Amino acid sequence: MTSTSFLEELPEMCKDLFTQDGVLCKMSNGRPNSDPNSVGMLCLVENPNGTKSIEWRPNDLITVDSDGQDQEWAVVNTIGRRQRTLSGNMTSDYASARARIVRIPLAELKFFRSSRDNKQIQFSSKQGAWQYTFHCQHGNAEVFVANLRAHVITVKTRRNRNTYMVVETNPDAQVLNKSFAELDIFTENTSDVVWNMVSNFTERPYTSAMEAFSKFTDIVYYGNEATPVRRDRPGQPTADDLADLSYAEVENRIETRKSDEYEVVSLKPTLPPRPDIHRSSPLSTEKWDGLRDSEGRITEVEGVKQLIFRGGVAHTIRSSVWKYLLDYYHWDKTNSQIKALVKTKTQDYYSMKLQWRSMTAGQESRFSDYRDRKSLVEKDVNRTDRTHPFFAGDNNKNLVTLQDLLMTYVMYNFDLGYVQGMSDILAPLLMLFGNEVDTFWCFVGFMEKIATNFDMDQAGMKQQLVNLQQLLKFVSPDLAKHLAEKDSDNMYFCFRWLLVWFKREFSYPDIMRLWEVLWTGLPCPNFHLLICVAILDNEKDLLISKDYGFTEILKHVNELSMRLDVDLILSRAEAIYHQIIAATHLTDDIRLILGIPTVCGDPEKPDPEENGAQAKNGTEAKNGTEAKNGTQARNSTQDEGNVKSEDPSMEEVMYQIGFDMNF
C-alpha cells in the first residue's frame, strides 16, 4: 500500500467519538508549534484495533460538503474532502496539513489538566513535563475533559484538583496508582522514581529503598538533573528566607510533634504575602440616580453593593440607600409600590406604639416583664451618647424619641424585648433619619442581621468569639500564642466590638461608613470578624512587646475607642481575607466561618468542585447549626484545647467579667 492510498483510507478507518472545534495547538511533543495561530479540531477517536486516541487536526483538513445541497444546510466534514491533482496524487497543501496532525494514544497518556479558566488543556505522556498544550478559543476545555474522563480511569491529584492522573487498567497497578495519588507523595516528575523503587523492592529491598528515596529527595528539592533548580512548597519559607532570621525567629517558624517512637520537625505553614488594598470613592448621587430605571427600581443590585463595599455611600444619599441595605425597601419595587409600603408600615408602627402608650399603671403593676424592660430602657437611654450634640442637654426631645422607638420594639418583638446595647445600635439611625417610622423599620432590619448577639444565653456571642479565636490563630499565630499564655485567648476583650458592631470604637461618620460596608455581605459572611482581626493585627507588636496580660489587654483595647482609622482597618481586613483564601493550608474550619465551600478530605465523599451547590448548601446548614447551637460548638472547641478552663462555672465568671468591663 502506498502512502497516498494509506492516507486516503485512514479517515474512514477511524471513528470520531467526540470533537471540539476552535482549538489552537500551542505545543506538540514538548516543542512550540511552528504556526502558533493554527486553529483546528480536538477529537477523541477510536482506531480500527479498538484502541483510542486524542487527535488534533488543523482546519486545512476540515471542509464543507455543499455539493447537491443548499449552502445554508451545509454539513461540516471533520475528515475533510480528499483533494487530488490531475495526476491523481494528493495536493501538497493537504499532505502538509495531514502531517501536522497530532495524535496521543490514550494508552500512553499519564496526566492531563485544564487551566487558565478552562481555556487551556495540557497532556503528558511521560513523566516530568507537559508535552502537548492546546488553547480553546471558546473557553470550554471542561467539556473535552469531561468526555475524556468517560474513556479513561482517572483520579484527581490532591495538590491540584484540576489535574488528573490516568490509572492503569491492570487491577494491581490501578490500586497502587490510586493509593499513590491519594497519598500525594509524588508529582509528575517524581513518579518514575517511586515506580522503580516498587518494582525493585522485592529483589533488593534495603538498597532499592535507600537509592530511591535519595533520588526522590534530590528531585523534590532540586528538580531533575537538567534543571537543578530548588523547588519550594507554596507557603513555605526557603533556606534563603531563614538565613536572614535570628535564632529565635527561626525557632518560631519550626513546629515539633513528638510520639513515643519518633519526633517530627517541620516548618510551620505561612500565609502568602498580603496584598495592598485601596479604598474607592463613595457611591455618589449621580451614580445612585443612574442605577434606577424609569419606575424607580434598582436593577444592578450586586453592582450597587460592590460600589458600597469599595467606598461606602455619600452622606447626601445615605438615608435613601440605607433603607434598601436594611431591607426596609425592596430593590425590585417601583416608586408607587414603595409609597404604598411606607403607608402600611406607618400604620403598623403607630399601632404598636399605641399598645404600650395606652397601658395603665395597674396593667404595668401586673406585667413584671414589661415593667422590667421599660425600666432598663429608661436607664440606658439616659446615658446613650450624651456627649453628642444630637443627644446632649436636659429635656432633649431626641432622647424621648429614642425611648419611644425602643419601647415600640419591645412590643414588636416581645420574645427578645430590650437588651443592653440596643440603644447604641439605634442612636445613629435616629440621627440620620430623624423620622420615627423610617428609623424604626431600619432598626428592625439591622436587628435581624445581628439578633443572635442579644440571645439571653449569649450562645451567638460565644460562638462568634470562638470563630474569632480560630481566625486569629490562622492569621496571626504568634499573637494567638501570646493571648493563650496570658489566659486571654477566650477573646472576651472583643465582646463590645461584636455586640454593637464597633459602635463605641468609631465616630458617627466612621461607624456609618463601616456599617454600610458590612451590610453588603461582601466579600464573605462574618467579615466583621476580620475587622476584629485587622484591629488586633494592627496592635500585635505592642501587645507582645509589652507583654500585656488579660487586664492590660482589655484596658488597651477599650482605649482604642475613637482612635482607629476606619479606612485603614477596612483595607487591612479585606487584604487579610484575600491572604486567607490564597493560603495553601486553608482548613475547613476557616472555610466554614467565611462561607467558603469546604474541601472534602475523604475520597468516598463527593468532590466539592463537582457538587458546588451541595457544598454551598452544606455550608449554610452548618453555619445555621453553629448559630443555633453555639454553646455546644463552644464546648467542642474547649475540648480541643482552645479554651483552657474546664470548669463551666469559672468560664461563666470570666465571661461576665469581660462583659462588665466592656459595659
Side-chain angles (χ1 to χ4, degrees):
M1 180 183 297
T2 65
S3 59
T4 300
S5 61
F6 173 76
L7 290 172
E8 256 190 303
E9 296 175 11
L10 185 60
E12 284 75 19
M13 296 168 62
C14 296
K15 175 184 177 182
D16 286 347
L17 303 175
F18 176 78
T19 60
Q20 183 165 316
D21 60 356
V23 180
L24 284 76
C25 180
K26 309 298 286 186
M27 179 180 291
S28 175
N29 289 322
R31 297 186 298 273
N33 190 5
S34 58
D35 182 10
N37 296 318
S38 179
V39 182
M41 181 178 291
L42 194 61
C43 312
L44 281 172
V45 300
E46 183 175 357
N47 302 314
N49 59 3
T51 62
K52 299 173 184 177
S53 304
I54 299 170
E55 185 172 287
W56 177 83
R57 307 167 188 152
N59 277 350
D60 307 23
L61 293 175
I62 304 172
T63 61
V64 177
D65 289 332
S66 56
D67 295 351
Q69 55 184 311
D70 190 283
Q71 186 65 28
E72 183 179 355
W73 294 91
V75 179
V76 174
N77 179 359
T78 59
I79 303 303
R81 183 177 302 282
R82 291 179 294 281
Q83 305 174 38
R84 290 181 177 275
T85 61
L86 293 176
S87 62
N89 295 325
M90 297 179 66
T91 63
S92 60
D93 289 342
Y94 182 83
S96 174
R98 188 74 201 175
R100 298 205 312 274
I101 289 180
V102 177
R103 181 176 291 112
I104 311 167
L106 294 191
E108 299 177 8
L109 186 63
K110 303 295 183 185
F111 296 90
F112 61 92
R113 70 178 179 186
S114 63
S115 58
R116 298 187 180 180
D117 297 327
N118 284 316
K119 293 183 179 179
Q120 181 171 282
I121 313 178
Q122 293 180 291
F123 303 96
S124 176
S125 58
K126 67 178 182 179
Q127 314 299 340
W130 296 103
Q131 287 86 35
Y132 306 92
T133 301
F134 301 93
H135 179 80
C136 300
Q137 293 179 316
H138 307 305
N140 53 354
E142 77 278 7
V143 178
F144 189 89
V145 168
N147 281 274
L148 175 59
R149 291 183 64 191
H151 298 279
V152 291
I153 302 174
T154 63
V155 291
K156 288 186 178 182
T157 62
R158 293 179 64 182
R159 188 165 300 173
N160 185 340
R161 305 300 289 177
N162 291 322
T163 300
Y164 297 85
M165 186 177 78
V166 178
V167 179
E168 298 181 14
T169 55
N170 178 279
D172 294 333
Q174 179 178 339
V175 171
L176 198 55
N177 250 329
K178 185 173 182 179
S179 299
F180 281 154
E182 293 298 332
L183 289 172
D184 196 25
I185 63 173
F186 58 86
T187 55
E188 296 92 333
N189 60 339
T190 60
S191 58
D192 56 338
V193 178
V194 179
W195 280 114
N196 289 336
M197 180 196 74
V198 173
S199 61
N200 295 329
F201 191 74
T202 54
E203 299 178 4
R204 299 178 296 121
Y206 180 81
T207 305
S208 298
M210 298 306 295
E211 289 177 354
F213 282 118
S214 174
K215 186 172 176 66
F216 177 73
T217 303
D218 290 341
I219 291 178
V220 169
Y221 281 94
Y222 299 103
N224 54 40
E225 296 177 357
T227 56
V229 178
R230 185 181 181 94
R231 299 174 59 202
D232 300 292
R233 292 178 59 189
Q236 291 282 22
T238 65
D240 294 335
D241 296 332
L242 297 178
D244 296 330
L245 301 178
S246 65
Y247 176 79
E249 290 172 322
V250 172
E251 191 176 38
N252 289 334
R253 302 283 285 273
I254 294 177
E255 184 176 38
T256 304
R257 289 175 293 160
K258 296 181 180 180
S259 71
D260 295 337
E261 299 179 356
Y262 58 87
E263 178 178 297
V264 178
V265 179
S266 60
L267 291 176
K268 296 178 183 177
T270 57
L271 291 173
R274 187 173 297 174
D276 292 329
I277 302 294
H278 302 284
R279 303 289 297 161
S280 302
S281 57
L283 174 65
S284 64
T285 304
E286 293 76 14
K287 286 183 180 178
W288 176 247
D289 292 340
L291 291 166
R292 296 172 178 271
D293 63 14
S294 58
E295 295 183 316
R297 300 183 186 89
I298 308 297
T299 55
E300 298 291 338
V301 178
E302 293 306 315
V304 172
K305 290 183 178 180
Q306 283 286 350
L307 290 173
I308 296 171
F309 176 74
R310 295 249 56 87
V313 180
H315 189 71
T316 53
I317 58 172
R318 187 166 272 152
S319 60
S320 176
V321 178
W322 278 25
K323 294 172 185 176
Y324 289 91
L325 290 174
L326 292 171
D327 301 321
Y328 176 26
Y329 290 179
H330 299 286
W331 303 93
D332 59 347
K333 299 301 182 183
T334 63
N335 290 331
S336 58
Q337 290 172 323
I338 288 177
K339 187 176 180 180
L341 172 70
V342 171
K343 182 179 179 180
T344 302
K345 292 292 187 181
T346 301
Q347 294 172 349
D348 292 344
Y349 172 76
Y350 283 109
S351 295
M352 290 183 291
K353 183 176 181 179
L354 182 61
Q355 290 175 359
W356 68 269
R357 290 290 294 269
S358 61
M359 191 172 294
T360 66
Q363 287 176 309
E364 277 193 41
S365 66
R366 295 184 296 271
F367 197 169
S368 59
D369 285 346
Y370 172 81
R371 189 172 63 251
D372 293 343
R373 291 175 178 181
K374 181 180 179 181
S375 175
L376 185 57
V377 167
E378 292 172 349
K379 291 178 182 178
D380 278 3
V381 165
N382 286 327
R383 57 192 180 193
T384 299
D385 292 341
R386 296 308 303 275
T387 58
H388 194 283
F390 190 77
F391 296 106
D394 298 330
N395 302 318
N396 190 317
K397 64 177 183 179
N398 294 322
L399 292 176
V400 176
T401 305
L402 188 67
Q403 181 173 333
D404 287 353
L405 287 164
L406 291 171
M407 289 303 302
T408 305
Y409 186 79
V410 169
M411 304 307 296
Y412 171 81
N413 187 355
F414 207 86
D415 286 340
L416 178 58
Y418 176 81
V419 181
Q420 189 175 16
M422 290 184 181
S423 60
D424 283 274
I425 296 293
L426 179 59
L429 301 179
L430 178 58
M431 194 195 75
L432 176 66
F433 294 110
N435 172 289
E436 280 192 58
V437 175
D438 292 342
T439 301
F440 178 81
W441 291 112
C442 285
F443 177 66
V444 168
F446 197 169
M447 287 299 300
E448 288 293 324
K449 296 178 183 294
I450 59 173
T452 57
N453 287 10
F454 300 96
D455 289 340
M456 293 305 296
D457 61 358
Q458 291 295 325
M461 282 295 298
K462 292 174 183 177
Q463 182 58 40
Q464 289 184 75
L465 293 172
V466 170
N467 291 343
L468 174 57
Q469 179 197 60
Q470 292 179 339
L471 287 172
L472 188 65
K473 288 177 66 176
F474 189 82
V475 173
S476 184
D478 48 350
L479 177 56
K481 179 182 177 183
H482 174 78
L483 296 178
E485 292 172 351
K486 302 301 179 181
D487 293 327
S488 300
D489 54 342
N490 47 37
M491 311 304 292
Y492 291 161
F493 55 87
C494 298
F495 183 93
R496 187 175 76 190
W497 295 356
L498 299 176
L499 182 69
V500 294
W501 267 30
F502 312 97
K503 158 63 171 52
R504 298 192 182 184
E505 319 313 316
F506 295 96
S507 64
Y508 266 49
D510 285 351
I511 196 58
M512 288 180 174
R513 194 182 324 168
L514 177 60
W515 281 354
E516 61 202 12
V517 169
L518 293 176
W519 291 335
T520 64
L522 300 174
C524 64
N526 290 321
F527 186 61
H528 66 292
L529 297 182
L530 293 182
I531 297 292
C532 297
V533 174
I535 297 174
L536 293 174
D537 184 72
N538 196 48
E539 304 298 318
K540 175 180 66 175
D541 294 340
L542 178 65
L543 297 176
I544 295 177
S545 63
K546 293 197 173 184
D547 199 29
Y548 280 170
F550 176 80
T551 304
E552 291 85 2
I553 292 172
L554 184 57
K555 181 175 181 292
H556 178 75
V557 165
N558 285 340
E559 289 175 349
L560 293 175
S561 178
M562 304 301 164
R563 293 166 47 197
L564 297 170
D565 185 331
V566 67
D567 287 323
L568 176 65
I569 296 301
L570 281 169
S571 297
R572 186 183 292 263
E574 186 182 355
I576 290 173
Y577 167 75
H578 290 292
Q579 194 179 25
I580 289 174
I581 63 174
T584 57
H585 59 291
L586 185 59
T587 63
D588 279 352
D589 288 340
I590 302 299
R591 292 174 182 270
L592 286 171
I593 294 171
L594 300 182
I596 304 170
T598 57
V599 175
C600 179
D602 187 350
E604 300 300 322
K605 295 180 181 179
D607 182 71
E609 292 182 4
E610 299 175 1
N611 299 278
Q614 294 179 10
K616 182 177 181 182
N617 293 337
T619 300
E620 292 173 353
K622 176 76 174 181
N623 289 338
T625 305
E626 288 179 351
K628 184 177 181 181
N629 302 306
T631 304
Q632 180 180 352
R634 176 177 60 87
N635 292 336
S636 174
T637 308
Q638 290 176 354
D639 292 340
E640 296 173 4
N642 289 333
V643 180
K644 297 180 180 179
S645 175
E646 298 179 359
D647 183 358
S649 61
M650 180 57 66
E651 183 68 20
E652 293 303 321
V653 168
M654 293 294 291
Y655 185 84
Q656 190 61 41
I657 291 174
F659 179 89
D660 293 340
M661 294 188 71
N662 275 282
F663 287 90

